Amino acid sequence: MRFAPEYVSHVLTDNFDDAKALFLEPLLSMHYAHLVMLVECGIVAPEDGRRIRVALDGIDQEAIRDVRYDGTYEDLFFYVDRLLVRACGEEVAGRLHTARSRNDIDMTIYRMRQRERILALVESVVALRRALLEMAERHRETVFAAHTHTQPAQASTVAHYLLGAIEQFGRDATRLAAAYATTNHNPLGACAITGTGFPIDRTRTAALLGFSGPTGNTYGSIATIDYTLEALSATGVLLVGLGRFLQDMLLWCTMEFGYLRLPDGFVQGSSIMPQKRNPVALEHARAISSRALGQAMGVMTAVHNTPFGDIVDTEDDLQPLVDGAFRDAHRATALVAAAMRGADVNVDLMRRRAGENWITITELADTLTRDHGLSFKHSHAIAQRLIASHSRTPERPLADLLAEASAEVTGAAVRVEEPQVRAWLSPEHFVRVRRTWGGPAPEETTRAIGVERERTEADARWLAAAREGLAAAAAALKARAAEI
Amino acid sequence: MRFAPEYVSHVLTDNFDDAKALFLEPLLSMHYAHLVMLVECGIVAPEDGRRIRVALDGIDQEAIRDVRYDGTYEDLFFYVDRLLVRACGEEVAGRLHTARSRNDIDMTIYRMRQRERILALVESVVALRRALLEMAERHRETVFAAHTHTQPAQASTVAHYLLGAIEQFGRDATRLAAAYATTNHNPLGACAITGTGFPIDRTRTAALLGFSGPTGNTYGSIATIDYTLEALSATGVLLVGLGRFLQDMLLWCTMEFGYLRLPDGFVQGSSIMPQKRNPVALEHARAISSRALGQAMGVMTAVHNTPFGDIVDTEDDLQPLVDGAFRDAHRATALVAAAMRGADVNVDLMRRRAGENWITITELADTLTRDHGLSFKHSHAIAQRLIASHSRTPERPLADLLAEASAEVTGAAVRVEEPQVRAWLSPEHFVRVRRTWGGPAPEETTRAIGVERERTEADARWLAAAREGLAAAAAALKARAAEI
Amino acid sequence: MRFAPEYVSHVLTDNFDDAKALFLEPLLSMHYAHLVMLVECGIVAPEDGRRIRVALDGIDQEAIRDVRYDGTYEDLFFYVDRLLVRACGEEVAGRLHTARSRNDIDMTIYRMRQRERILALVESVVALRRALLEMAERHRETVFAAHTHTQPAQASTVAHYLLGAIEQFGRDATRLAAAYATTNHNPLGACAITGTGFPIDRTRTAALLGFSGPTGNTYGSIATIDYTLEALSATGVLLVGLGRFLQDMLLWCTMEFGYLRLPDGFVQGSSIMPQKRNPVALEHARAISSRALGQAMGVMTAVHNTPFGDIVDTEDDLQPLVDGAFRDAHRATALVAAAMRGADVNVDLMRRRAGENWITITELADTLTRDHGLSFKHSHAIAQRLIASHSRTPERPLADLLAEASAEVTGAAVRVEEPQVRAWLSPEHFVRVRRTWGGPAPEETTRAIGVERERTEADARWLAAAREGLAAAAAALKARAAEI
Amino acid sequence: MRFAPEYVSHVLTDNFDDAKALFLEPLLSMHYAHLVMLVECGIVAPEDGRRIRVALDGIDQEAIRDVRYDGTYEDLFFYVDRLLVRACGEEVAGRLHTARSRNDIDMTIYRMRQRERILALVESVVALRRALLEMAERHRETVFAAHTHTQPAQASTVAHYLLGAIEQFGRDATRLAAAYATTNHNPLGACAITGTGFPIDRTRTAALLGFSGPTGNTYGSIATIDYTLEALSATGVLLVGLGRFLQDMLLWCTMEFGYLRLPDGFVQGSSIMPQKRNPVALEHARAISSRALGQAMGVMTAVHNTPFGDIVDTEDDLQPLVDGAFRDAHRATALVAAAMRGADVNVDLMRRRAGENWITITELADTLTRDHGLSFKHSHAIAQRLIASHSRTPERPLADLLAEASAEVTGAAVRVEEPQVRAWLSPEHFVRVRRTWGGPAPEETTRAIGVERERTEADARWLAAAREGLAAAAAALKARAAEI
């Protein structure tokens, strides 16, 4: 073999192993589809076509997976080609290479692989939204102290918090679906980079491989990597959002917060420290998310400032990084979905904390303004005085303190019953009056849960349709090839 | 003032200056819109509303831009508030703060700023596509040696190459438009993070500020940064694509290639070395693109693993990096558009190189197969022999060499006239027969140019409509505020 | 002016403003140093030298800072050159340009600027270590529950925790000092890229500008950016470490943890919620750190895959990103140093939590093994049983439970007094026995504090010496120039 | 097994496979070293120690590599532990776990692995420098047109260019050696995070494992990741520099430049296009470098904003990304070294191009100033006129044109012989007079080659010593363990 040993050990061996793991199946499908098209377009004679098809049928994927690279062929493509030549002769096998090249073949199988990866990721995003929606449904009335600037700031509900995340994950699914649409075009027929003089039908191979249609310009079909960068970017946005959600959930899992309890299968404890429940699933999910994000951004870095054309930078060496980013993103998302599915929150503790630290006091001031006609300035001053006098004399009724404070500030005492004041200051009241569009009032979160559930299921239907489309194309290709 | 001097010098001063440069105008628009809504919803009395409006009218943006931060107020918002208090009193000015908070205000003005940035970027992407389309129209027949793996590989046309890039930039515009749609929702009314008990109308402020509608969940409205990450990701994909195109154009500008000539205003020369034409505009465009990409990726890194909530990490300190990424992306794209608008290629040199190095030889083999019924194996062998014999006897007619080679390989000489062989080997022929969908044949690039022109103009119309929408909303807000 | 308007607006204007802000002072110093060397080497005649020096003396930096770019000169260098020509005529002013070029000038002033930035960063790292050392000294005996996997896991001391961070920041200072040494070489004299035929003395300009010596190869002097990448990498490592420390400190600041209290000037509260103490200084420090890291990594991305040579990618457009990364890193570090200087921990709460959750139970098992000769397996089983029986009968003495558990496991009861068992389980005991090299025992942290204090002060001395070296060179340059 | 199936499939399976590939060998060495220390310190009885040692001796690494993860144990560590328990019983096997934990074990084996990776990288950096030095030695007199701003700008030599790169790679080796020194400290004995109450000897295990000594603070020993970030940063700086060098070499390999010819084993051609020599080794090297850089930066991103403590983010999931970055950096560097070792440049073509485009004209002007006492302004004007008149009348002797031009400019003709003018304009003259420190004059590059050769060999000796140190420690450990 003419390759230098360093080239074999540092490049070709890795690439062969990567290709076996990632691209063997799409490679064979592509062979079948191209063959069918060549025969249908009259470029390859039926009898030759049949012999090639029989040769393809004889290829044993499992056997190939066990092959160790030996440097006597360039890569997986040529290894498969060698098998084909053995099966039907160089002359006939050679006809399969009409009107195509390594370049468009590679771009085609990269896109096929990426389709699977995007769909798997959408699946885990749907699963995550379902898990969080279930939790939200259980916790429409579960109040807790929402943080701003890392401090308890306002009462809200667990459902309200989760819906913020669910909506975001819904937009992630939209972005991934857009990336799928960009990806799902067929570059086959772009050949080396300028197409061919043979009368091929790019639309036909597109249909046979489940693509929505051919890509456009053949130079761009080989040169562009934007379909990958768009998909990885959508993945990156998802990952940053997931990572932020995980930061909160890990905080909720600390013993000091004590809000979230993961199911047993997702924690690791200590046989000797019974309370220790390391939330390892979420920890790993964060670490795997970070790795996925690192890889996704690494792809951007790797491709930046390379030529716009057929160039190794977007090909064999890069693909494992691309695939790793998608795979890890899927692992992390699926893991969080599974862990949250059985997780639950400590309702009592959350409720108790929501009643501390006067985080509902602004609502008292709002109420004085809204319902008692006081100016904001006065309402605010009364609230401040109420807190101060309570701190001095915690044993006195709040209603008395309120009456005194309001009399001092405005000259006229606001007189209400003690339960009323306490109700005004309760987290439940705080939440109940917040019926703003998108707010935490249970009636509003109920509406929002309905909307998000519908969106989630619509995405689930889209996913099912996309997968059925690919499965149907694969079945049709198999059947059509068998007829040759 | 109670802030520590290090906090003033290391944080607040920078943030004040940044806010003046980036957010003053949206801040004031937001004030007007919120005021109109409060009055319309009966939350603020008309007379108070009018006094606030008059106070707002009295704010002199230019004067504010000259203010130096002195640490006696927290930030720009509070500086403006101080002006309002001075103008209409604390009591009345305070009413403007009903049913909102710093949190939703910030998110609103960030989105308003980002809208402008995205639209400016779409504008430069449209300009770039137009410039390249014009060049493509001039060069449908300009053949050149397209590279694969950094080497001359196949004949193509300049139009064909450019269309590959144009299509990609078209997809960038689509991604940016999607990011605009995500961005263009109004978070105002989310208040601190849970909305409000006041009966506000989020849809109304959305309309007054030109948003397509309110955001959903109020927690998410404050917490999420995905609208920015999506827009920066779309920008990042554009930048990587632009950078790859620039790599090629800079290569074309080298004296050794000699393909591309930039207009005089975009190069820097040497008074003493007359041929030196440093393509500085493209060099700077690459450097500015890289900086933009670095900033865009930096935002991802900066936000990763922060909590999902109201948190400084996505706010004041981050915004200049966000804005810088958009601004630099716009600068780079607009610069390339301007430089390419007047650039032109060296048609003769490109043609000459396209005829060298046998880069069209595969088409000869294809032709023998397609039109003379030879098998690929034989066609290929004949082509190889032809090259070899020509290298030994360059003076002999190619037709003779072909006849001999074919006779040797197949036993039967392929006999054609010399001009026919030369035509088969000509780059023009190579290109002409490549009528594949997306190929370089002039009839096909003509079709593709038409398609891309229409897409570009559709995006231009979308851009104009988006800007008109914002302008109309601004005018309507101004008029409506004046009526209070 | 011959530049295209887009080139002026998108490139030259920014670059002029950036250069004024970043490089004006080093530019003038470089002029003086080069002039002195030219005169000393006999390349410029003394009388011409003196006229140039007088022209340089006449340049008003403040006036230049007010200049708005008008496109009639290329950049700041040429603007200054215009002033020199006006002051001493084209002929004489031109002599200053002997044996140098824009290329080596730029690289020289970049390095001069970077020196200042690195030293400022070292200063803030020293300040941070001092602040943390002071806190560590106060808290050698302050036990707390150190986390592993986000959960309370073992008793340690605040001093022990802080020393882990302090040592790391110490290594950061070492890395920054190494980067300073790499930076502090003088590229002046590399001229355009090949040096010059004039008999210049690169060592002399190096000395005049405070460099430790000249750079080596002139091509590399212009081409390389490794001196910046090394310094930014060291900064990046620091920033990641700082960010991790900040994560902990922000956690300690949450109301739910309640461990850390920042000084008043570094928090923002709520007039109405008295307990709210948003730890804004640390929040901003994290955000600014992240921005700095984003910029530093952005520089890597921006320079990757550019040519190794004189190329815009490492120059004007990049420098603001470089400078921003250093500046923000300094701001963040200095801010944390200032905030921690006055911060303190809640000793009682930390102590109480350290006694919960059986986090010291492993030490009981260790003790049974170490001091009572039990096997690990038995010690561990006894500890488990002790916890279980205590949970059933919390009112019974631990000594009794221990005796029963040990009898059950080994057949022989371990009998000790109740205070002894409680002591074995106390966090203070846990810490005290951990005298391992680097462990939390107060005698060991006392030793370590001494070591770190010495290292910190050594770095402070290095910093002072480096700054004195630069100041001395500047003074000597001024004096020597005045003699011409 | 109690782990959830999603946790097994998404986390534990990957981690087990990664650990087998990366950490099995260091894990076993660590076991031996810890055992020896425990016995020597009297913490484990000799007879128990011997039984454990025999159990360790019986572990078959190859057999472990074939194990498929089945979820009945947590990870590789516990799998090995199970083997030990089987071999010597739970009671005895358990004694090996005295005074250590998973935390310090992991950190120890990570550092051991990283040591190997750094040394391998230094080895390839040394190989690269040697290859380039050999080329430089052959091409001290090979002139070529060095580029600035992507354009031919000045004559230099191939040796001069290469020395710029060689010096940079030398600094990379220095940075890697510093990172090795940081890495090469032993965290074993930090146990979970606070050390232990057992009287262990951390210095002893350090020596047994080839570390230069123990790490310091035990909390930091577990928490810090700076040793990895420093090493990856040094690697990143190397990679950016390597990428920039590769950009140039790939440019040199284009047919349009035609400067560099790689050895046959490092190119891929086309059977039909005889001139096509795709420089695939360099293309792959760039792609693999980019991937390595992407991974290295990904690690920074992944670790940023995680807690400073024992946390999954720096552990199992991250390590493959860390290892991949080092491994790919090594592959890329070794590949470039191998490809450049046999590469050579086209001396004639380089020489010819160096004589074009008047890139030496500045030296003519310099000469008139330096040797004929003309002012720069006059010299420059003369040079310009000479070019202009030559362009009008290329047939006339340059000496005549010079005489006329000088007469016109100064009134006095500079008269020299034609060969003299031509010599002044020759690239060889241009290079020869540039004897500046670090310049291209052959006498100066000869000196510099000597310096760099010495530095390279010093690094090679350092590398050999480091490896011998590790090998000696391993041998000593083996011998000492056998004695137990």
Side-chain angles (χ1 to χ4, degrees), chain C residues 91 149 154 160 168 171 175 194 196 202 218 223-224 226 230 244 247 290 304-305 310 375 436-438, chain D residues 91 149 154 160 168 171 175 194 196 218 223-224 226 230 244 247 290 304-305 310 375 436-438:
Chain C
E91 182 76 34
H149 294 280
Q154 291 200 320
H160 185 240
Q168 182 178 276
R171 292 189 294 272
R175 285 183 279 264
T194 55
T196 177
R202 294 186 59 199
T218 61
T224 198
D226 77 318
E230 178 182 346
R244 299 182 80 211
Q247 287 291 100
S290 292
H304 180 56
N305 278 342
D310 169 47
S375 80
T436 320
W437 175 263
Chain D
E91 180 78 33
H149 293 280
Q154 291 200 320
H160 186 239
Q168 183 178 276
R171 291 189 295 272
R175 284 182 280 263
T194 56
T196 178
T218 61
T224 198
D226 77 318
E230 178 181 347
R244 299 182 81 212
Q247 287 290 100
S290 292
H304 180 56
N305 278 342
D310 170 47
S375 81
T436 321
W437 176 263

Side-chain angles (χ1 to χ4, degrees), chain D residues 61-81:
Chain D
Q61 291 197 34
E62 277 317 299
I64 292 177
R65 287 190 212 281
D66 290 335
V67 172
R68 288 196 157 220
Y69 185 66
D70 65 3
T72 62
Y73 39 88
E74 186 183 326
D75 59 12
L76 181 66
F77 173 85
F78 283 106
Y79 182 78
V80 169
D81 190 51

Side-chain angles (χ1 to χ4, degrees), chain C residues 90-91 94-95 97-99 103 111 144 146-150 154-156 159-165 167-168 171-172 175 182 189-200 202 214-221 223-227 229-230 233-234 236-237 239-241 243-245 247-248 286 289-290 293 297-298 300-301 303-315 363 366-367 369-370 374-378 430 433-440 445 448, chain D residues 90-91 94-95 97-99 103 111 144 146-150 154-156 159-165 167-168 171-172 175 182 189-200 202 214-221 223-227 229-230 233-234 236-237 239-241 243-245 247-248 286 289-290 293 297-298 300-301 303-315 363 366-367 369-370 374-378 430 433-440 445 448:
Chain C
E90 198 172 334
E91 182 76 34
R95 298 204 189 282
H97 301 320
T98 315
N103 294 353
R111 286 180 185 244
F144 83 112
H147 278 205
T148 66
H149 294 280
T150 76
Q154 291 200 320
S156 185
H160 185 240
Y161 171 86
L162 290 173
L163 279 163
E167 285 185 8
Q168 182 178 276
R171 292 189 294 272
D172 288 318
R175 285 183 279 264
T182 302
C191 302
I193 200 148
T194 55
T196 177
F198 287 93
I200 60 171
R202 294 186 59 199
T215 54
N217 181 275
T218 61
Y219 190 101
S221 300
T224 198
I225 183 80
D226 77 318
Y227 71 96
L229 301 185
E230 178 182 346
S233 290
V237 177
L239 288 164
V240 171
R244 299 182 80 211
F245 175 70
Q247 287 291 100
D248 289 354
R286 182 170 72 185
S289 292
S290 292
L293 178 63
M297 291 172 64
M300 299 289 284
T301 294
V303 186
H304 180 56
N305 278 342
T306 60
F308 181 67
D310 169 47
I311 190 77
V312 160
D313 303 80
T314 61
E315 299 169 4
E363 185 51 34
D366 279 3
T367 303
T369 295
R370 204 166 51 229
L374 273 64
S375 80
F376 250 108
K377 205 180 150 194
H378 287 165
F430 188 95
V433 299
R434 277 168 167 65
R435 287 182 297 264
T436 320
W437 175 263
T445 53
Chain D
E90 199 171 334
E91 180 78 33
R95 299 204 188 281
H97 302 320
T98 315
N103 293 353
R111 287 181 184 243
F144 83 113
H147 277 204
T148 65
H149 293 280
T150 76
Q154 291 200 320
S156 185
H160 186 239
Y161 170 87
L162 290 173
L163 279 163
E167 284 184 9
Q168 183 178 276
R171 291 189 295 272
D172 288 318
R175 284 182 280 263
T182 302
C191 302
I193 201 148
T194 56
T196 178
F198 286 94
I200 60 171
R202 295 187 59 200
T215 54
N217 181 275
T218 61
Y219 191 101
S221 300
T224 198
I225 183 79
D226 77 318
Y227 72 95
L229 300 186
E230 178 181 347
S233 290
V237 177
L239 288 165
V240 171
R244 299 182 81 212
F245 175 70
Q247 287 290 100
D248 289 353
R286 182 170 71 184
S289 292
S290 292
L293 179 63
M297 291 171 65
M300 299 289 283
T301 293
V303 186
H304 180 56
N305 278 342
T306 60
F308 180 66
D310 170 47
I311 189 78
V312 160
D313 302 81
T314 62
E315 300 169 3
E363 184 51 34
D366 279 5
T367 302
T369 294
R370 207 165 50 228
L374 274 64
S375 81
F376 250 108
K377 205 180 149 192
H378 286 165
F430 188 96
V433 299
R434 278 168 166 66
R435 286 182 297 263
T436 321
W437 176 263
T445 52

Side-chain angles (χ1 to χ4, degrees), chain B residues 3-131:
Chain B
F3 296 119
E6 296 91 344
Y7 189 58
V8 170
S9 64
H10 291 314
V11 179
L12 296 177
T13 305
D14 273 66
N15 290 356
F16 185 75
D17 289 342
D18 292 335
K20 281 197 305 181
L22 301 179
F23 300 120
L24 179 54
E25 199 171 313
L27 176 65
L28 293 175
S29 299
M30 181 280 312
H31 276 322
Y32 278 108
H34 188 65
L35 174 65
V36 166
M37 184 277 289
L38 287 177
V39 171
E40 289 181 354
C41 290
I43 298 168
V44 163
E47 56 274 32
D48 284 347
R50 194 170 40 72
R51 289 175 62 192
I52 297 169
R53 197 261 297 152
V54 170
L56 283 169
D57 289 348
I59 287 176
D60 177 353
Q61 291 196 36
E62 278 316 298
I64 292 176
R65 286 189 212 282
D66 290 336
V67 172
R68 286 195 159 221
Y69 185 66
D70 65 4
T72 63
Y73 38 88
E74 186 183 325
D75 59 12
L76 180 66
F77 174 84
F78 283 107
Y79 182 78
V80 169
D81 191 50
R82 179 190 285 187
L83 298 181
L84 292 176
V85 167
R86 277 186 197 153
C88 64
E90 198 172 333
E91 179 79 34
V92 170
R95 298 201 189 284
L96 184 58
H97 302 320
T98 316
R100 69 179 194 182
S101 92
R102 293 301 311 283
N103 293 354
D104 60 342
I105 289 174
D106 282 353
M107 293 302 144
T108 302
I109 62 182
Y110 296 165
R111 286 182 184 242
M112 290 173 73
R113 178 82 185 173
Q114 187 169 302
R115 287 192 313 202
E116 299 293 339
R117 286 300 191 198
I118 297 175
L119 294 182
L121 192 50
V122 171
E123 182 179 31
S124 58
V125 171
V126 165
L128 176 58
R129 290 151 76 196
R130 283 175 174 161

Side-chain angles (χ1 to χ4, degrees), chain A residues 266 334-335 338-339 341, chain D residues 3-12:
Chain A
F266 295 92
L335 187 60
R341 203 173 295 130
Chain D
F3 295 120
E6 296 91 344
Y7 188 58
V8 171
S9 64
H10 292 314
V11 178
L12 296 178

Side-chain angles (χ1 to χ4, degrees), chain D residues 231-255:
Chain D
L232 284 178
S233 290
T235 303
V237 177
L238 161 65
L239 288 165
V240 171
L242 183 65
R244 299 182 81 212
F245 175 70
L246 281 167
Q247 287 290 100
D248 289 353
M249 291 305 101
L250 282 164
L251 195 68
W252 287 19
C253 281
T254 60
M255 219 169 263

